[in-house]
Amino acid sequence: MRRHLLLTAGTLMTAAVILAGCGESGSSGTEAPASSAAGNGCAPVAGDKLVVLTDDKNLQNTDNIVPAINKKASSPQLIAALDKVSAALDTTKLIELNKAVDIDRKSSKAAAEEFATANSITTGIAKGPGGDLTVGAANFSENATLGELYNIALTAAGYKVKVQQIGNRELYEPALEKGDIDVVPEYAATLATFLSGKVDGKSAKDPSSPQLDTTMTNLTALGDKVGLVFGKPSTAQDQNAFATTEAFATKYSVKTLSELAAKCSGAATVLGGPPECPQRPKCQQGLVETYKFEAGKFSSLDAGGPLTKTGLKQGTISVGLVFSSDGALAAG
């Protein structure tokens, strides 16, 4: 599992099941619901450049990058150093960082060092109390790069830092609570959902929201129950998104999901995504309920991976689920 529970977990009960280790998320049926699309739709258009359609009705929640910190390891200087990283990031810059690693094949360390220099990350950072810190990172390149950025900022604050790539959230979050690691780059809405399932179990209410302030208020309260505190969230988001080729967007004059629904609901439109997409509230089910978007056909591919991106570029799907910070979305 990469970082999102939101695509595959239709309810917090599902999140609780994941935490209990009872199988993979998204293991339910894969058959797409019957389409009621009555229009002609928009046939796929091949192209090399991908663009994300604006989620103008806020289907997705606020998976902004936020530093998660073990409370005992925290200090004002530590949080201020991590906040420097948050302030320097936005989604466009995160896409470029991911491009540097995933497409240009730079190491996460090298990409982070270049970014830190270009954005003056270490300028003005105050020295903290010092000591050893372990920054944990999940097992995918974006999180590893963010971990290296935290390393740079915290080193400038006077700490001796080690970055340790640990695995998925089920492994690193308990280690963060225990203090085996001190800091992790996290994703606000997904972590809030995860902690809510862990703290409240089957009685949990969804703490995530399309409004960042609401998500952070709920996340902060949940963190307090398990000994975690948080820095300021970045404007950079890595969350579910829907992309087309630039050629498709130009041909059909669509920039938003509302325009896609209005102009492209119909038989010729092919939606691509992971097998569980048709039943998930942040994928096809959400497109139907929030936007009244009706695809003529669903193509079972992957979650923002090479199958979906290849399907878009080769013109076998009209629109596909991607991640909003994917390096493949970089301009130029």
Side-chain angles (χ1 to χ4, degrees):
M1 183 168 62
R2 194 175 177 191
R3 71 290 220 177
H4 298 283
L5 291 174
L6 298 178
L7 167 66
T8 54
T11 66
L12 283 165
M13 186 180 296
T14 306
V17 170
I18 294 169
L19 289 169
C22 299
E24 293 288 332
S25 62
S27 58
S28 62
T30 61
E31 184 179 352
S35 174
S36 59
N40 293 327
C42 299
V45 181
D48 291 331
K49 186 174 180 181
L50 305 182
V51 294
V52 165
L53 300 178
T54 300
D55 180 15
D56 52 307
K57 292 185 178 179
N58 296 320
L59 169 61
Q60 307 300 337
N61 285 328
T62 41
D63 251 337
N64 295 59
I65 292 163
V66 62
I69 307 154
N70 177 279
K71 188 174 183 178
K72 293 180 179 178
S74 180
S75 71
Q77 296 90 345
L78 180 147
I79 292 177
L82 295 173
D83 287 349
K84 282 274 290 185
V85 177
S86 291
L89 281 169
D90 58 26
T91 302
T92 299
K93 290 179 179 179
L94 184 58
I95 289 170
E96 292 293 341
L97 270 172
N98 287 333
K99 177 180 180 293
V101 176
D102 297 335
I103 297 174
D104 300 338
R105 299 303 176 189
K106 296 179 181 179
S107 68
S108 286
K109 184 177 178 65
E113 288 173 347
E114 291 177 5
F115 181 89
T117 299
N119 292 275
S120 304
I121 292 292
T122 60
T123 301
I125 288 182
K127 297 290 184 180
D132 294 336
L133 287 176
T134 299
V135 174
N139 57 349
F140 59 97
S141 60
E142 175 183 286
N143 209 252
T145 304
L146 292 169
E148 293 293 347
L149 281 173
Y150 286 6
N151 176 11
I152 292 167
L154 293 170
T155 298
Y159 295 93
K160 184 178 179 181
V161 184
K162 175 178 69 175
V163 179
Q164 183 176 348
Q165 196 161 0
I166 294 176
N168 62 22
R169 189 172 286 105
E170 286 76 14
L171 294 175
Y172 68 70
E173 191 280 331
L176 183 63
E177 286 186 27
K178 293 176 184 177
D180 293 338
I181 57 177
D182 302 295
V183 179
V184 174
E186 262 292 2
Y187 302 86
T190 296
L191 181 60
T193 300
F194 180 93
L195 290 179
S196 186
K198 183 174 185 176
V199 171
D200 299 321
K202 293 182 179 180
S203 64
K205 295 180 180 179
D206 189 357
S208 63
S209 167
Q211 304 304 317
L212 180 58
D213 287 348
T214 300
T215 297
M216 285 304 304
T217 295
N218 293 334
L219 177 59
T220 300
L222 288 162
D224 189 58
K225 294 180 180 180
V226 295
L228 303 183
V229 295
F230 305 95
K232 292 180 181 178
S234 170
T235 62
Q237 295 179 321
D238 182 354
Q239 59 196 34
N240 300 331
F242 293 94
T244 68
T245 62
E246 186 177 61
F248 178 99
T250 299
K251 178 177 179 178
Y252 297 111
S253 299
V254 294
K255 295 182 179 180
T256 69
L257 289 175
S258 288
E259 290 173 343
L260 179 75
K263 298 178 180 181
C264 292
S265 289
T269 304
V270 183
L271 171 66
E276 64 269 20
C277 178
Q279 289 82 29
R280 296 310 188 214
K282 302 300 178 183
C283 206
Q284 187 173 12
Q285 183 186 112
L287 289 174
V288 172
E289 293 177 356
T290 301
Y291 287 99
K292 311 304 179 189
F293 169 69
E294 295 285 354
K297 179 182 178 182
F298 174 73
S299 179
S300 180
L301 300 170
D302 56 16
L307 296 179
T308 298
K309 287 180 282 189
T310 298
L312 287 166
K313 291 180 178 181
Q314 292 184 350
T316 60
I317 61 174
S318 307
V319 58
L321 182 126
V322 299
F323 294 118
S324 62
S325 62
D326 195 312
L329 301 171

